[in-house]
Amino acid sequence: MKLLRHYFISNNLDDLDLFGKQLEKETVSPIQIHVLSNDVEGVLQHPHLYGVGSFMKLDIVRSGLIGATVGACVFTAVIMLTQYLDWYKSSAGWVPFIFLALILFWFCVWEGGFIGIQRKNTLFGKFKKVLKDGLHVFYVDLYASQEPILQRILQLHPNLSLAGTGKADPNWLVMLNRKIGLI
């Protein structure tokens, strides 16, 4: 089952808390609900609002995956160069070259993550001005079967403005979080 993320903007954390409570009362799990806000203390005071963790506010995962892709290319290049230039025929054999390729791969992954620590998550970049203006971004990841619930509850919240839809967390990640009880 595929999830679809819905973004909403509001200036009222109390209304968002009620919105989250109503979604939870139906079949929406808390792991599917998040609020991105500069008012971290305000979000913490509302029991049905789940702030975006500081880790997810950064671009570590995306940059780390880019680093892993570059690292895989470097790994492959070292192995191919070793094969092409017959370096493996020395007394040491393949071991030092495989070790070098692995070190270079992990260095690229580390460097990608290090770059990601220094950047904001690109998924939230479009809300930079909204957050700067003191508004809050509420987003919920829904299965197709949950869409009617959202539409019904949205009618009770006329002050929420839809800010679009986007790609949600993978279904396996939501299910894993439910099973291990992160939220």
Side-chain angles (χ1 to χ4, degrees):
M1 292 177 113
K2 195 171 182 178
L3 292 157
L4 180 64
R5 180 168 288 173
H6 299 269
Y7 294 97
F8 302 95
I9 296 174
S10 176
N11 63 351
N12 187 338
L13 285 175
D14 294 329
D15 188 41
L16 289 178
D17 187 55
L18 178 61
F19 186 51
K21 181 179 180 181
Q22 291 167 334
L23 287 169
E24 284 181 51
K25 198 173 182 182
E26 299 291 335
T27 60
V28 180
S29 168
I31 196 70
Q32 295 172 253
I33 300 170
H34 299 283
V35 175
L36 182 63
S37 176
N38 288 337
D39 183 9
V40 177
E41 291 300 317
V43 171
L44 290 174
Q45 293 174 4
H46 293 83
H48 298 283
L49 294 182
Y50 308 96
V52 176
S54 56
F55 181 79
M56 291 309 296
K57 289 181 181 178
L58 302 174
D59 206 28
I60 297 171
V61 174
R62 183 180 152 282
S63 296
L65 289 173
I66 291 171
T69 302
V70 171
C73 293
V74 170
F75 179 91
T76 303
V78 168
I79 297 300
M80 289 176 66
L81 197 60
T82 301
Q83 172 70 31
Y84 180 73
L85 297 176
D86 293 332
W87 289 342
Y88 66 93
K89 291 183 178 177
S90 69
S91 61
W94 278 100
V95 174
F97 301 104
I98 291 173
F99 189 64
L100 172 65
L102 286 171
I103 288 172
L104 291 173
F105 170 79
W106 286 113
F107 175 77
C108 291
V109 173
W110 173 82
E111 185 65 28
F114 184 70
I115 290 169
I117 286 173
Q118 301 170 43
R119 294 184 182 168
K120 298 287 183 196
N121 191 327
T122 55
L123 296 174
F124 303 132
K126 61 184 172 184
F127 299 114
K128 187 176 182 179
K129 183 177 178 344
V130 169
L131 294 170
K132 188 177 178 185
D133 292 343
L135 299 173
H136 317 284
V137 179
F138 181 98
Y139 66 93
V140 59
D141 299 337
L142 296 175
Y143 297 103
S145 62
Q146 295 172 319
E147 295 286 335
I149 295 167
L150 176 67
Q151 297 308 319
R152 183 171 25 89
I153 295 174
L154 266 176
Q155 293 174 3
L156 304 172
H157 300 273
N159 294 331
L160 280 181
S161 57
L162 180 64
T165 59
K167 185 178 175 187
D169 291 334
N171 183 46
W172 64 267
L173 183 60
V174 173
M175 297 306 288
L176 177 67
N177 285 332
R178 275 188 188 171
K179 284 201 185 285
I180 61 175
L182 287 180
I183 291 186

